[in-house]
Amino acid sequence: MSILTLSDGRPVHLPPAVPTDYVFGCSDPDDLPLGEEVRAVVTLKVAMTRDMLATALNLACGASEEDPDSWDVAYIRQSVELCLAMEGPFTIQRDAEMHAELLDDPSVRDYIQANYRAVDRAYPHFAPKGNV
């Protein structure tokens, strides 16, 4: 667990950051302009709810028409990280406020439930005790 101290002094207990080995951006030297080199690899920690994780995964992979139950943990995490890099945490947080409502739509319910199961596999700390 990590402890974050808010500006008013209250501590907030957070789970440990999930490790990643994927690097976005200029990770391939052949993609760099001549004479340029990578100056830094920046690590960003984003605290996310289960709905935010599912929203990010859906934004990254929703159009793939693949079964989320077949995705491995590395693919799920890379997809969430890609969405974070492209959309930003505040956009995902805003969109997550409505994501769970998709469970009420019979045309996408099975896919959204599989999306949540994928998130629970990749980020088990937040896995629910129920069946969703």
Side-chain angles (χ1 to χ4, degrees):
M1 284 282 180
S2 12
I3 299 176
L4 173 70
T5 304
L6 300 178
S7 59
D8 64 4
R10 287 181 297 140
V12 176
H13 298 276
L14 299 171
V18 175
T20 182
D21 59 359
Y22 199 77
V23 178
F24 298 95
C26 301
S27 57
D28 184 346
D30 293 336
D31 292 340
L32 295 172
L34 189 61
E36 288 288 325
E37 61 183 39
V38 174
R39 182 69 166 241
V41 176
V42 178
T43 302
L44 175 67
K45 294 181 183 181
V46 179
M48 298 179 72
T49 66
R50 184 173 182 246
D51 285 340
M52 288 175 70
L53 292 165
T55 299
L57 183 59
N58 191 40
L59 286 170
C61 302
S64 70
E65 298 184 18
E66 295 175 1
D67 179 8
D69 288 323
S70 69
W71 297 338
D72 65 23
V73 167
Y75 178 79
I76 296 164
R77 289 181 179 177
Q78 287 174 4
S79 298
V80 168
E81 292 168 11
L82 174 64
C83 186
L84 271 170
M86 301 302 289
E87 300 290 333
F90 300 110
T91 300
I92 294 170
Q93 186 174 10
R94 181 199 65 217
D95 292 350
E97 293 173 6
M98 299 173 290
H99 188 77
E101 293 174 11
L102 293 173
L103 291 167
D104 297 332
D105 181 345
S107 69
V108 294
R109 180 181 302 123
D110 290 343
Y111 180 82
I112 298 300
Q113 287 175 331
N115 204 347
Y116 277 104
R117 287 192 300 271
V119 163
D120 294 342
R121 281 194 316 282
Y123 304 96
H125 180 80
F126 290 109
K129 304 295 185 242
N131 290 339
V132 176

